[in-house]
Amino acid sequence: MSQQAHERATCGDWEQAGRSYAAAGAHALGMDASGPARRAFEAAGEAFRRADVPRESARCLRVALTLPAEDDDAVAVLRTRLAAALGELGNGSGALELCRQARRQARSAPTRELVSDTTIGLLQGYGRKAMWRRRVRTLGTVSGAFRRGQLARLDGQLGKARQHFRAVAGVFDGVKGGEAGAAAAACELAEVEALAGDAGPAVEAYTRAEQLHREAGRRSLSWRCEAGRVRASVEAGLDVLPGVLDEGVVLADARGMLLLAIDLRIARGMASARRDPAAAGADLDWAVAHASQIGLRLREGRARWQRAILLDGPGRSDDLESAAHLLEDHVLLCQRVQSV
């Protein structure tokens, strides 16, 4: 693989690294060197993932999957990485099918855990809680603690969720290269504080998580944290300028990151409701339609709930009824909807 690609990856210039790896893969294919070509396209897919360019990541991983691999584990890892990219692009059914195939091929314990963890992440968006509850038991110490924290949060057990996420944060805090893990834990802790009704700690935690994700070079994840900060602020009655999310919406739309686009529009709609109900309605309508189309129950439920309580339109009662059904897996949010 090209030295230029390695150098760009070392510097954190992931998008250009991805292009260099892809070029190296194409060159290797032209020389009938399938092994180096597969490794180069796999590296390109991973680089594009880090650069938040999931369409290019998926394209390169698909090419890599057409080339001979050393063993079943290598193919399983490729399928799992492709599944993650498709999930962010909104193709949940395709992503979960790839995970099913990868699970049948995985041989080593690390590969099986990668497949299980990715499957759980996808099922949180595209499935139901009961579909992944037992799978958490198959994970290792750190990934298991993280997913058990998410499960506790959805179950409404906020104290238990805090314990798990603080344990995960303790593993990564201050560790070089651990910024992504620390940021993920911080973002989950922020969500817990928001659910507890503690706006100050929630906003502070979201801000810290956003900074950590930026330091790790993950723009999409930093924007997801910013969406959470805006939601927590609005729910606490604070005044937020919706324009702070415009850049993130443009990025998500341009790169086909449908889940991020939905998250940002829900938050922007919440922030716009007082100033510009028409703009808020457009954002929340968009979020409801797209979340419904690809089967994102929790996101659709949250969007319907916010549309009902902030805009009080003619479909308010239908929105509240639908939101309560869609948010069944999220105990505390469901209770809030039912209390309106």
Side-chain angles (χ1 to χ4, degrees):
M1 289 185 281
S2 78
Q3 182 64 29
Q4 183 183 42
H6 287 308
E7 289 174 355
R8 291 189 180 279
T10 301
C11 295
D13 187 359
W14 291 109
E15 185 166 356
Q16 288 305 315
R19 300 195 187 288
S20 296
Y21 281 128
H27 179 72
L29 272 182
M31 300 180 67
D32 291 326
S34 60
R38 183 189 62 78
R39 290 189 289 274
F41 278 112
E42 182 174 11
E46 177 63 8
F48 281 127
R49 180 192 71 83
R50 289 173 176 260
D52 297 315
V53 192
R55 285 186 182 129
E56 285 300 303
S57 178
R59 183 184 69 82
C60 291
L61 292 169
R62 283 194 177 101
V63 174
L65 273 169
T66 67
L67 302 171
E70 292 89 350
D71 52 43
D72 286 346
D73 269 342
V75 178
V77 169
L78 279 171
R79 291 190 191 281
T80 305
R81 289 178 173 170
L82 177 56
L86 293 184
E88 188 59 43
L89 291 167
N91 185 355
S93 59
L96 287 168
E97 175 57 31
L98 282 166
C99 282
R100 283 189 283 270
Q101 296 171 7
R103 187 166 63 252
R104 291 194 293 267
Q105 291 176 302
R107 297 292 179 263
S108 70
T111 301
R112 288 196 296 270
E113 179 167 0
L114 174 66
V115 175
S116 292
D117 189 59
T118 302
T119 302
I120 288 171
L122 289 166
L123 287 173
Q124 285 190 53
Y126 295 101
R128 301 298 303 271
K129 192 166 55 178
M131 299 168 68
W132 59 273
R133 186 183 291 277
R134 291 186 179 180
R135 294 175 185 269
V136 175
R137 303 172 189 171
T138 68
L139 301 178
T141 303
V142 178
S143 58
F146 187 79
R147 297 304 186 186
R148 280 191 291 274
Q150 292 180 318
L151 188 57
R153 171 172 56 77
L154 290 172
D155 286 342
Q157 300 171 347
L158 299 187
K160 185 181 292 187
R162 281 193 190 94
Q163 290 178 357
H164 287 307
F165 294 133
R166 284 171 180 165
V168 174
V171 173
F172 294 107
D173 280 346
V175 176
K176 186 177 181 180
E179 294 87 359
C187 193
E188 289 289 347
L189 281 167
E191 182 70 13
V192 169
E193 300 305 334
L195 288 169
D198 298 329
V203 170
E204 182 180 344
Y206 274 125
T207 301
R208 178 172 180 272
E210 190 270 340
Q211 291 171 343
L212 286 169
H213 276 310
R214 283 193 180 275
E215 290 172 8
R218 297 306 309 275
R219 293 174 66 195
S220 67
L221 297 178
S222 69
W223 278 114
R224 190 158 277 138
C225 291
E226 183 67 3
R229 186 191 69 79
V230 169
R231 287 201 318 269
S233 299
V234 173
E235 288 171 356
L238 303 177
D239 192 32
V240 183
L241 293 174
V244 299
L245 298 175
D246 290 350
E247 181 184 343
V249 172
V250 171
L251 173 73
D253 287 349
R255 299 193 172 185
M257 294 184 285
L258 188 52
L259 274 65
L260 177 61
I262 292 170
D263 289 341
L264 289 168
R265 280 187 168 86
I266 292 173
R268 191 171 67 175
M270 292 171 64
S272 300
R274 290 182 184 176
R275 288 185 178 83
D276 191 343
D283 271 339
L284 292 171
D285 289 349
W286 191 98
V288 167
H290 285 78
S292 175
Q293 183 179 9
I294 60 176
L296 296 170
R297 291 176 59 88
L298 295 182
R299 285 174 169 86
E300 182 187 352
R302 188 187 285 271
R304 285 185 178 277
W305 172 41
Q306 293 301 321
R307 185 168 68 179
I309 63 175
L310 293 175
L311 300 180
D312 196 21
R316 184 175 190 271
S317 60
D318 289 340
D319 267 345
L320 288 174
E321 182 179 353
S322 295
H325 172 68
L326 291 163
L327 291 169
E328 284 177 338
D329 284 350
H330 200 312
V331 171
L332 293 180
L333 287 190
C334 186
Q335 289 175 354
R336 290 185 184 181
V337 173
Q338 291 172 332
S339 69
V340 174

